[in-house]
Protein backbone atom coordinates (compact mmCIF):
# COMPACT_ATOMS: atom_id res chain seq x y z
CA UNK A 1 0.00 0.00 0.00
CA UNK A 2 2.89 2.36 0.74
CA UNK A 3 4.40 1.86 -2.72
CA UNK A 4 0.94 2.25 -4.27
CA UNK A 5 0.40 5.58 -2.48
CA UNK A 6 3.85 6.82 -3.48
CA UNK A 7 3.13 6.08 -7.14
CA UNK A 8 0.12 8.43 -7.09
CA UNK A 9 1.40 11.19 -4.81
CA UNK A 10 4.77 12.24 -6.18
CA UNK A 11 6.07 15.83 -6.54
CA UNK A 12 4.78 16.91 -3.15
CA UNK A 13 1.19 15.84 -3.77
CA UNK A 14 -0.54 13.96 -0.95
CA UNK A 15 -4.21 13.92 -1.94
CA UNK A 16 -6.14 11.96 -4.58
CA UNK A 17 -9.73 12.13 -5.82
CA UNK A 18 -12.02 9.11 -5.89
CA UNK A 19 -14.38 8.35 -8.78
CA UNK A 20 -16.67 5.41 -9.46
CA UNK A 21 -19.34 4.13 -11.82
CA UNK A 22 -21.57 1.91 -9.71
CA UNK A 23 -22.73 0.09 -11.67
CA UNK A 24 -20.60 0.57 -14.76
CA UNK A 25 -23.15 1.05 -17.58
CA UNK A 26 -22.65 -1.96 -19.86
CA UNK A 27 -25.21 -3.54 -22.15
CA UNK A 28 -26.01 -7.18 -21.49
CA UNK A 29 -24.17 -9.47 -23.90
CA UNK A 30 -21.60 -6.87 -25.00
CA UNK A 31 -17.88 -7.61 -25.03
CA UNK A 32 -15.32 -5.51 -23.17
CA UNK A 33 -13.99 -3.64 -26.26
CA UNK A 34 -17.57 -2.89 -27.34
CA UNK A 35 -18.38 -1.56 -23.88
CA UNK A 36 -15.29 0.62 -23.65
CA UNK A 37 -15.78 1.91 -27.20
CA UNK A 38 -19.24 3.12 -26.21
CA UNK A 39 -17.67 5.43 -23.61
CA UNK A 40 -14.91 7.00 -25.70
CA UNK A 41 -16.44 10.49 -25.49
CA UNK A 42 -17.28 10.67 -21.82
CA UNK A 43 -16.45 8.38 -18.92
CA UNK A 44 -19.53 7.48 -16.87
CA UNK A 45 -17.97 7.59 -13.41
CA UNK A 46 -19.05 10.08 -10.73
CA UNK A 47 -16.94 12.05 -8.30
CA UNK A 48 -16.93 10.71 -4.73
CA UNK A 49 -14.69 13.43 -3.29
CA UNK A 50 -15.84 16.71 -1.78
CA UNK A 51 -15.85 19.25 -4.57
CA UNK A 52 -18.22 20.14 -7.35
CA UNK A 53 -18.47 17.69 -10.23
CA UNK A 54 -16.36 18.53 -13.25
CA UNK A 55 -15.02 16.72 -16.26
CA UNK A 56 -11.45 15.54 -15.77
CA UNK A 57 -9.51 16.18 -18.96
CA UNK A 58 -6.09 15.44 -17.50
CA UNK A 59 -4.46 14.10 -14.38
CA UNK A 60 -0.95 13.54 -13.05
CA UNK A 61 -1.38 9.90 -12.05
CA UNK A 62 -4.21 7.44 -11.60
CA UNK A 63 -5.07 3.90 -10.60
CA UNK A 64 -8.14 2.38 -12.27
CA UNK A 65 -9.93 -0.90 -11.60
CA UNK A 66 -12.65 -2.43 -13.78
CA UNK A 67 -14.38 -5.51 -12.41
CA UNK A 68 -17.26 -7.75 -13.33
CA UNK A 69 -17.44 -7.12 -17.09
CA UNK A 70 -18.21 -10.15 -19.23
CA UNK A 71 -15.34 -11.60 -21.21
CA UNK A 72 -17.23 -12.44 -24.39
CA UNK A 73 -15.56 -12.32 -27.79
CA UNK A 74 -15.43 -8.86 -29.42
CA UNK A 75 -18.07 -8.05 -31.98
CA UNK A 76 -18.25 -5.45 -34.73
CA UNK A 77 -20.87 -4.43 -37.24
CA UNK A 78 -20.40 -5.75 -40.79
CA UNK A 79 -18.59 -3.27 -43.01
CA UNK A 80 -17.22 -1.26 -40.08
CA UNK A 81 -13.50 -1.32 -39.22
CA UNK A 82 -12.49 -2.82 -35.91
CA UNK A 83 -11.31 -0.30 -33.35
CA UNK A 84 -7.83 -0.46 -31.76
CA UNK A 85 -9.50 -1.87 -28.66
CA UNK A 86 -10.67 -4.91 -30.65
CA UNK A 87 -7.05 -5.60 -31.59
CA UNK A 88 -5.87 -5.90 -27.98
CA UNK A 89 -5.01 -9.40 -26.80
CA UNK A 90 -6.14 -9.19 -23.17
CA UNK A 91 -8.69 -7.31 -21.05
CA UNK A 92 -5.85 -5.57 -19.22
CA UNK A 93 -4.41 -4.33 -22.51
CA UNK A 94 -7.86 -3.13 -23.61
CA UNK A 95 -8.35 -1.06 -20.46
CA UNK A 96 -4.81 0.33 -20.65
CA UNK A 97 -5.33 1.35 -24.29
CA UNK A 98 -8.66 2.95 -23.42
CA UNK A 99 -7.18 4.98 -20.55
CA UNK A 100 -4.20 6.02 -22.67
CA UNK A 101 -6.64 7.49 -25.19
CA UNK A 102 -8.63 9.28 -22.49
CA UNK A 103 -5.62 10.54 -20.52
CA UNK A 104 -2.57 10.71 -22.83
CA UNK A 105 0.72 11.11 -21.02
CA UNK A 106 -0.71 10.22 -17.60
CA UNK A 107 1.02 7.72 -15.35
CA UNK A 108 -1.62 4.99 -15.10
CA UNK A 109 -1.93 1.65 -13.39
CA UNK A 110 -4.97 -0.44 -14.28
CA UNK A 111 -6.45 -3.80 -13.37
CA UNK A 112 -9.33 -5.86 -14.77
CA UNK A 113 -10.96 -8.30 -12.35
CA UNK A 114 -13.47 -10.86 -13.51
CA UNK A 115 -15.32 -11.04 -10.18
CA UNK A 116 -18.12 -8.42 -9.93
CA UNK A 117 -19.14 -6.47 -6.85
CA UNK A 118 -21.55 -8.53 -4.74
CA UNK A 119 -24.82 -6.64 -4.11
CA UNK A 120 -26.90 -9.27 -2.36
CA UNK A 121 -28.49 -8.28 1.01
CA UNK A 122 -27.58 -6.46 3.17
CA UNK A 123 -26.30 -4.31 0.25
CA UNK A 124 -28.86 -1.48 -0.33
CA UNK A 125 -31.22 -2.42 -3.16
CA UNK A 126 -31.59 0.90 -4.95
CA UNK A 127 -31.04 -0.32 -8.51
CA UNK A 128 -33.06 0.43 -11.62
CA UNK A 129 -35.34 -2.25 -13.10
CA UNK A 130 -33.29 -1.77 -16.28
CA UNK A 131 -30.57 -3.95 -14.77
CA UNK A 132 -30.20 -7.70 -15.05
CA UNK A 133 -29.42 -9.81 -12.00
CA UNK A 134 -25.73 -9.38 -12.91
CA UNK A 135 -26.03 -5.59 -13.15
CA UNK A 136 -25.96 -5.17 -16.94
CA UNK A 137 -28.25 -2.79 -18.83
CA UNK A 138 -31.39 -3.92 -20.64
CA UNK A 139 -33.25 -2.22 -23.47
CA UNK A 140 -36.45 -2.26 -21.41
CA UNK A 141 -37.42 -3.00 -17.84
CA UNK A 142 -38.08 -6.58 -16.83
CA UNK A 143 -40.79 -7.87 -14.54
CA UNK A 144 -38.59 -8.54 -11.52
CA UNK A 145 -37.76 -6.18 -8.67
CA UNK A 146 -34.46 -4.34 -8.44
CA UNK A 147 -33.90 -6.45 -5.32
CA UNK A 148 -32.98 -9.22 -7.77
CA UNK A 149 -29.67 -7.53 -8.65
CA UNK A 150 -27.09 -9.85 -7.13
CA UNK A 151 -23.90 -8.31 -8.52
CA UNK A 152 -22.78 -5.33 -10.61
CA UNK A 153 -19.79 -4.37 -12.77
CA UNK A 154 -17.83 -1.45 -11.32
CA UNK A 155 -15.32 1.05 -12.69
CA UNK A 156 -13.39 2.91 -9.97
CA UNK A 157 -10.38 5.22 -9.94
CA UNK A 158 -8.10 7.15 -7.65
CA UNK A 159 -6.72 10.21 -9.44
CA UNK A 160 -4.13 12.82 -8.64
CA UNK A 161 -5.60 15.62 -10.76
CA UNK A 162 -5.51 19.44 -11.10
CA UNK A 163 -9.06 19.76 -9.75
CA UNK A 164 -7.69 19.09 -6.28
CA UNK A 165 -6.10 22.55 -6.38
CA UNK A 166 -9.59 24.08 -6.26
CA UNK A 167 -10.59 21.86 -3.34
CA UNK A 168 -7.48 22.48 -1.25
CA UNK A 169 -7.24 26.21 -2.00
CA UNK A 170 -10.92 26.63 -1.13
CA UNK A 171 -10.40 24.82 2.16
CA UNK A 172 -7.47 27.07 2.93
CA UNK A 173 -9.53 30.21 2.24
CA UNK A 174 -12.37 28.93 4.40
CA UNK A 175 -10.02 28.33 7.34
CA UNK A 176 -8.42 31.77 6.98
CA UNK A 177 -11.76 33.60 6.94
CA UNK A 178 -12.87 33.41 10.61
CA UNK A 179 -10.95 35.22 13.35
CA UNK A 180 -9.99 32.27 15.53
CA UNK A 181 -9.01 34.58 18.39
CA UNK A 182 -12.75 34.93 19.01
CA UNK A 183 -13.01 31.17 19.56
CA UNK A 184 -11.11 30.67 22.81
CA UNK A 185 -12.29 27.07 23.14
CA UNK A 186 -10.42 26.24 19.93
CA UNK A 187 -7.05 26.99 21.49
CA UNK A 188 -7.89 25.80 25.00
CA UNK A 189 -8.23 22.36 23.41
CA UNK A 190 -4.46 22.38 22.94
CA UNK A 191 -3.96 23.97 19.50
CA UNK A 192 -1.35 26.73 19.38
CA UNK A 193 -2.04 29.72 17.14
CA UNK A 194 1.41 29.50 15.51
CA UNK A 195 0.92 25.79 14.82
CA UNK A 196 -2.44 26.54 13.22
CA UNK A 197 -0.93 29.20 10.95
CA UNK A 198 1.87 26.84 9.97
CA UNK A 199 -0.67 24.17 9.07
CA UNK A 200 -2.49 26.69 6.87
CA UNK A 201 0.72 27.51 5.03
CA UNK A 202 1.40 23.82 4.47
CA UNK A 203 -2.13 23.40 3.11
CA UNK A 204 -1.62 26.33 0.75
CA UNK A 205 1.68 24.87 -0.43
CA UNK A 206 -0.02 21.52 -1.02
CA UNK A 207 -2.72 23.23 -3.11
CA UNK A 208 -0.06 24.83 -5.30
CA UNK A 209 1.36 21.39 -6.11
CA UNK A 210 -1.79 20.73 -8.17
CA UNK A 211 -1.60 23.91 -10.27
CA UNK A 212 -1.09 23.49 -14.00
CA UNK A 213 -1.23 27.09 -15.22
CA UNK A 214 -4.67 26.41 -16.75
CA UNK A 215 -6.78 27.19 -13.72
CA UNK A 216 -7.97 25.00 -10.93
CA UNK A 217 -8.84 21.91 -12.98
CA UNK A 218 -7.34 22.65 -16.36
CA UNK A 219 -10.46 24.55 -17.42
CA UNK A 220 -11.53 26.70 -14.47
CA UNK A 221 -10.91 30.42 -14.34
CA UNK A 222 -7.91 31.78 -12.51
CA UNK A 223 -10.34 33.21 -9.99
CA UNK A 224 -10.45 29.80 -8.37
CA UNK A 225 -6.73 29.94 -7.69
CA UNK A 226 -5.44 31.14 -4.36
Amino acid sequence: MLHFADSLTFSGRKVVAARAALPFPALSGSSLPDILSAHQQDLPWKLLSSWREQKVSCCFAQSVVLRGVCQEKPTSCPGQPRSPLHSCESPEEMLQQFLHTQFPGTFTTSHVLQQPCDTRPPFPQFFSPLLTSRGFLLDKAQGFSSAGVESIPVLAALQSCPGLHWLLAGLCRALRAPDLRRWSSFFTAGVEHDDFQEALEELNTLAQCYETGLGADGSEDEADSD
Side-chain angles (χ1 to χ4, degrees):
M1 181 59 71
L2 180 61
H3 293 298
F4 170 73
D6 288 342
S7 69
L8 296 179
T9 55
F10 50 83
S11 300
R13 305 180 187 106
K14 301 178 181 180
V15 181
V16 295
R19 292 180 179 270
L22 190 147
F24 180 62
L27 286 173
S28 179
S30 298
S31 66
L32 181 54
D34 293 333
I35 293 169
L36 294 177
S37 296
H39 297 288
Q40 290 280 10
Q41 300 301 319
D42 193 18
L43 285 165
W45 54 31
K46 299 295 183 181
L47 182 68
L48 304 181
S49 303
S50 301
W51 88 83
R52 67 179 180 269
E53 181 64 83
Q54 51 194 275
K55 181 178 180 180
V56 175
S57 57
C58 66
C59 58
F60 307 114
Q62 63 181 348
S63 177
V64 181
V65 175
L66 177 63
R67 59 183 300 175
V69 175
C70 55
Q71 301 298 319
E72 299 180 13
K73 292 183 178 180
T75 60
S76 58
C77 298
Q80 291 186 354
R82 292 162 61 88
S83 72
L85 292 174
H86 289 82
S87 302
C88 295
E89 297 181 355
S90 67
E92 290 76 13
E93 186 180 346
M94 293 175 196
L95 180 59
Q96 189 71 26
Q97 173 68 29
F98 174 77
L99 294 172
H100 175 72
T101 302
Q102 296 290 326
F103 303 97
T106 297
F107 173 78
T108 300
T109 63
S110 60
H111 302 277
V112 177
L113 306 178
Q114 187 172 0
Q115 183 179 6
C117 177
D118 188 0
T119 57
R120 290 172 295 184
F123 195 95
Q125 296 300 308
F126 47 65
F127 300 109
S128 166
L130 290 173
L131 294 182
T132 69
S133 62
R134 295 177 57 209
F136 290 94
L137 292 173
L138 295 167
D139 293 331
K140 59 181 179 179
Q142 300 296 298
F144 60 83
S145 167
S146 61
V149 178
E150 298 179 354
S151 64
I152 56 173
V154 176
L155 177 68
L158 294 177
Q159 294 179 322
S160 175
C161 58
L164 287 163
H165 168 78
W166 183 90
L167 171 67
L168 296 170
L171 177 60
C172 188
R173 288 193 297 270
L175 291 172
R176 290 184 189 277
D179 184 1
L180 293 182
R181 290 172 296 184
R182 299 175 56 186
W183 304 87
S184 58
S185 59
F186 186 82
F187 295 105
T188 56
V191 178
E192 296 293 337
H193 187 272
D194 290 344
D195 293 339
F196 178 76
Q197 293 299 322
E198 182 179 352
L200 282 181
E201 292 303 322
E202 292 177 353
L203 181 60
N204 185 59
T205 300
L206 179 61
Q208 293 175 3
C209 292
Y210 292 87
E211 287 187 301
T212 62
L214 299 176
D217 66 339
S219 61
E220 294 287 333
D221 294 332
E222 289 295 336
D224 280 336
S225 301
D226 187 36

